[in-house]
Amino acid sequence: MTSGPILNPGPRLLIGSGRTPALADLLPDGPVLLVTDQAVRGFGLADPLMAELAKTRDLVVFDSVEADPSRATLIAAVGAGRAAGVQSVVGFGGGSPMDVAKLAAYLLGSRDDLDSIWGVGLAKGRRLPLALVPTTAGTGSEATPVAIITVEGGEKRGVNSPALIPDLAVLDAELTLGKPRSLTAATGIDAMVHAIEAYTSVKAKNPVSDMQAREALRLLGANLVTACEEPGNREARQAMLVGAHLAGLAFANAPVAGVHALAYPLGGIHHLPHGLTNALMLRPVLSFNAEAARQPYAELAAILEPEAAMLGSQAAASRLIERMEQLVVASGLQPRLRDHGIGREEAPMLAREAMKQQRLLVNNPVPIGEEDARRLYEAAW
Ligand SMILES: NC(=O)c1ccc[n+]([C@@H]2O[C@H](COP(=O)([O-])OP(=O)(O)OC[C@H]3O[C@@H](n4cnc5c(N)ncnc54)[C@H](O)[C@@H]3O)[C@@H](O)[C@H]2O)c1
Ligand SMILES: [Fe+2]
């Protein structure tokens, strides 16, 4: 018997505009913890679901999740859930509330200590029933076994375990219609990077993750600029949610790599949005990988731009990098570190920090050492 990855199937899904309140009937009886953030709560996005849940059970709302959530926030969410004896957890929002909900459901159900489960495969206990409702089309966290918490010193740490894949998820375009352009752009690019990095993930790439990544990139590439320019376009918003979910499934089965590894210090230290940090490191890292990943990049280029199929693989791989940069700019993001107050002299410190992301670096098509990382930050400046 040869070895190989065990694939993650993802959650059961409700797909379609306005379907979120139907979740209430699918959760077990007993008190529910709903984890969200203040802005999402303020927009009233969760109101229909909360009204439906409150008809039949006690509802505890924890709405203090910040972007790039901290350990303290997670512990507070667990405390709120434990005090109320909740029997299930709903994560409602972008990647930040969803990640807190995933770990809160796990810690409440298993009673494990957070510091014993960082890394891959160590969370082996049972979590509470968990449903996730994304309000950004980006992280795909509702599909993945991963949750990211920012710990002391700005380091982003992950827990990766099948126990974190939710039971249920809802992909409801209604919740993303009000997303501002910059958030639509950043989260959309994040999702595209998930698809690209899954497609070249050296150890775990497989036929299922390839199919998920290809279809994700097709949907995201065809709809990102429309979603930015026509925020109320339901079809484009729904396609972005499905694309981000498929990209999440792709990297649940073939983990992300160098772009994310180098993006994380920018988020942890400078608190730039996660998707933007990926956009900033995209061109340098893809260019660094281009020779080793020539064939897969050429295949992806043809998905974004059918004419690229007529090119040789080297030219087609270059087209992927150019096309992604065009999309970054067309979506309205500023693509260089200097545009975001980051100094060129920070490159060595950022490179040192990036080396902590070995969990991701091992998936890159070519090794990235500290000296390479420094040069890549300088190229991104
Ligand atoms: N678990 C995973 O697999 C995974 C993958 C990638 C990233 N992440 C993590 O996810 C986090 C980033 O998540 P994110 O990019 O979705 O952003 P986020 O959850 O941090 O939210 C960013 C901002 O967008 C606002 N927002 C959310 N939905 C909105 C809507 N519909 N309309 C208007 N504003 C809205 C929020 O209130 C917040 O202010 C990071 O912590 C990152 O590390 C996790
Ligand atoms: Fe990401």
Side-chain angles (χ1 to χ4, degrees):
M1 192 75 129
T2 56
S3 63
I6 298 172
L7 299 184
N8 290 303
R12 294 168 71 206
L13 281 181
L14 297 177
I15 301 185
S17 213
R19 290 203 71 189
T20 305
L23 199 55
D25 288 337
L26 302 172
L27 291 173
D29 291 340
V32 185
L33 173 66
L34 185 129
V35 179
T36 186
D37 67 43
Q38 277 170 3
V40 167
R41 189 169 190 192
F43 297 140
L45 296 176
D47 288 356
L49 173 62
M50 282 165 48
E52 206 53 39
L53 286 169
K55 282 182 189 165
T56 51
R57 41 168 88 70
D58 288 339
L59 175 62
V60 181
V61 179
F62 181 88
D63 65 1
S64 316
V65 179
E66 74 280 37
D68 303 309
S70 66
R71 179 199 293 267
T73 297
L74 170 60
I75 289 168
V78 171
R82 190 160 287 151
V86 298
Q87 298 298 312
S88 61
V89 178
V90 176
F92 195 108
S96 299
M98 287 195 286
D99 282 5
V100 171
K102 288 162 92 164
L103 282 172
Y106 180 79
L107 296 174
L108 282 164
S110 68
R111 299 195 161 251
D112 281 1
D113 176 34
L114 179 61
D115 281 319
S116 68
I117 60 169
W118 298 118
V120 181
L122 297 179
K124 293 180 177 150
R126 282 170 78 88
R127 59 157 170 74
L128 292 183
L130 172 67
L132 297 177
V133 188
T135 65
T136 61
T139 68
S141 179
E142 78 286 352
T144 75
V146 179
I148 308 289
I149 295 293
T150 302
V151 297
E152 300 71 19
E155 182 193 343
K156 287 201 150 203
R157 277 211 202 145
V159 177
N160 183 332
S161 163
L164 298 190
I165 298 171
D167 302 297
L168 290 157
V170 189
L171 306 180
D172 178 352
E174 189 82 24
L175 307 176
T176 65
L177 295 178
K179 262 203 307 177
R181 180 172 185 138
S182 58
L183 186 63
T184 303
T187 52
I189 295 291
D190 182 30
M192 295 185 82
V193 176
H194 295 157
I196 295 170
E197 294 210 284
Y199 202 69
T200 56
S201 192
V202 278
K203 288 199 202 141
K205 174 179 168 69
N206 63 78
V208 173
S209 64
D210 281 354
M211 178 192 72
Q212 290 161 334
R214 293 171 68 92
E215 180 61 4
L217 201 69
R218 189 187 70 76
L219 286 167
L220 296 163
N223 289 282
L224 174 65
V225 175
T226 310
C228 287
E229 290 178 351
E230 302 168 31
N233 185 320
R234 257 169 229 275
E235 288 83 61
R237 293 293 198 179
Q238 192 65 51
M240 291 299 292
L241 272 172
V242 174
H245 184 76
L246 289 172
L249 287 173
F251 88 87
N253 289 316
V256 293
V259 181
H260 272 75
L262 269 63
Y264 274 157
L266 300 171
I269 294 166
H270 286 283
H271 300 289
L272 297 176
H274 172 72
L276 172 62
T277 61
N278 278 306
L280 293 169
M281 297 316 298
L282 186 56
R283 182 188 48 79
V285 177
L286 293 194
S287 304
F288 184 76
N289 293 348
E291 193 44 46
R294 186 204 283 208
Q295 189 55 37
Y297 282 1
E299 289 163 19
L300 293 179
I303 292 171
L304 292 179
E305 207 177 277
E307 307 83 72
M310 314 298 283
L311 300 172
S313 59
Q314 193 172 28
S318 298
R319 279 307 293 147
L320 175 73
I321 300 168
E322 286 157 21
R323 181 81 187 123
M324 284 306 300
E325 188 158 34
Q326 282 164 2
L327 280 171
V328 167
V329 172
S331 68
L333 296 175
Q334 293 193 297
R336 304 198 73 93
L337 294 184
R338 72 182 77 160
D339 302 325
H340 302 279
I342 295 166
R344 196 165 191 269
E345 71 287 354
E346 293 182 52
M349 177 274 292
L350 292 166
R352 218 167 26 249
E353 282 298 306
M355 290 303 107
K356 293 181 182 164
Q357 301 296 335
Q358 290 303 324
R359 153 185 97 82
L360 306 177
L361 289 168
V362 294
N363 305 314
N364 205 56
V366 259
I368 299 180
E370 189 170 333
E371 193 47 29
D372 302 317
R374 183 186 60 75
R375 278 198 290 271
L376 292 171
Y377 283 116
E378 284 172 2
W381 190 78

